Amino acid sequence: MIASDLDRTLIYSAAALALTVPDAEAPRLLCVEVYRSAPLSYVTEAAAVLLAELAERSVLVPTTTRTREQYGRVHLPGPPPTYAVCANGGHLLVDGESDPDWHARVRRALAADCASLDEVRARMVGTADPTWLLKERVAEDLFAYLVVDREKLPDTWVKELADWAGPRGWTVSLQGRKIYAVPRPLTKSAAVAEIARRTGAERVLAAGDSLLDADLLLAADAGWRPGHGELADLGWTAEHITALPELGAAAGERIAREMLRATQDRVRMST
């Protein structure tokens, strides 16, 4: 089974493509997301071919912090995934529909182990400065995030919020222009483990770039992280995780290639 983060791992906005070659040598791109009638996210055409083959050969599970609505805009190459994880594990989708039993289980865990969303949201907004706070949002009534001007964001603010939130059972993650506050029991790895149980998958491969992907990567049998993103900035790695040097869309293509090679090697070993 392949469980992969989407944004800045497999798919990239125009601002995150990080193309480092001359324009004439830039790879051809395939749009995989449209928002408000405009293209928003891309993969390289080479990555599109790899992802389509990967979806045919394995159980490919998009594993994202996006809400269900945001995830619904993404159309990866290949057949539509049977399973997906949205809202950082808050929703386990089966053929596009949220599993109500799983969601109820998540809600019970959050009610038992964490400070309330209202308390954390009030702290985030109350300590943010209007000079750099652009938007504040609640996602699926599960977690909160801010959209900020990174150039004006004080260097210490995210750490101060994380130090406050940690004892209250919440994790803080900075991803691009967004600062997420997510309850610690709300994890991608728990939802992926449930899908592995349902599908009988004996091996899980994973990829991700942010602190919110760390639990997913640690729980996997093998995984990859790109050369950009929060985990790269922290120098985070583990024995079974490959830290790739590639940045941007090139990293997404390399991740897809490595995942496909791993599935092919597994097939060869079993024959």
Side-chain angles (χ1 to χ4, degrees), residues 18-250:
L19 300 178
T20 57
V21 297
D23 289 348
E25 300 173 21
R28 287 167 58 93
L29 301 173
L30 174 70
C31 177
V32 294
E33 179 185 15
V34 173
Y35 179 55
R36 293 181 177 174
S37 302
L40 183 60
S41 298
Y42 305 85
V43 297
T44 67
E45 284 194 346
V49 173
L50 295 166
L51 287 171
E53 186 172 353
L54 195 60
E56 294 284 356
R57 289 176 170 268
S58 65
V59 178
L60 178 60
V61 182
T63 309
T64 180
T65 306
R66 285 176 174 239
T67 65
R68 288 170 291 170
E69 180 182 2
Q70 292 167 339
Y71 169 69
R73 301 194 302 253
V74 177
H75 301 283
L76 294 177
T82 300
Y83 295 97
V85 174
C86 293
N88 214 66
H91 288 282
L92 192 165
L93 304 190
V94 183
D95 293 325
E97 298 295 328
S98 179
D99 182 311
D101 292 337
W102 175 258
H103 186 63
R105 188 193 309 181
V106 169
R107 288 286 184 187
R108 288 193 296 269
L110 301 190
D113 297 334
C114 306
S116 71
L117 173 60
D118 288 343
E119 179 183 354
V120 174
R121 181 186 182 191
R123 177 77 179 195
M124 294 177 75
V125 176
T127 57
D129 191 318
T131 61
W132 50 260
L133 176 60
L134 304 178
K135 301 176 186 177
E136 66 96 7
R137 296 286 187 269
V138 169
E140 301 270 18
D141 200 30
L142 290 168
F143 60 90
Y145 65 93
L146 308 180
V147 182
V148 303
D149 184 333
R150 283 291 298 268
E151 292 184 358
K152 296 179 181 178
L153 177 70
D155 293 338
T156 60
W157 192 87
V158 173
K159 183 180 185 304
E160 290 170 357
L161 178 63
D163 290 344
W164 176 88
R168 292 164 174 81
W170 287 66
T171 297
V172 174
S173 173
L174 175 61
Q175 302 179 37
R177 298 190 307 144
K178 294 180 179 178
I179 302 169
Y180 291 89
V182 177
R184 196 170 292 130
L186 189 67
T187 64
K188 295 179 177 182
S189 60
V192 166
E194 173 64 13
I195 297 171
R197 184 190 68 80
R198 296 185 188 190
T199 60
E202 298 179 354
R203 189 165 184 251
V204 176
L205 308 179
D209 71 297
S210 81
L211 190 61
L212 295 177
D213 297 311
D215 68 285
L216 173 66
L217 292 168
L218 288 173
D221 296 289
W224 299 264
R225 71 154 174 84
H228 60 257
E230 193 175 21
L231 294 180
D233 292 344
L234 294 171
W236 184 96
T237 190
E239 184 176 354
H240 62 294
I241 301 302
T242 301
L244 299 174
E246 286 86 354
L247 306 175

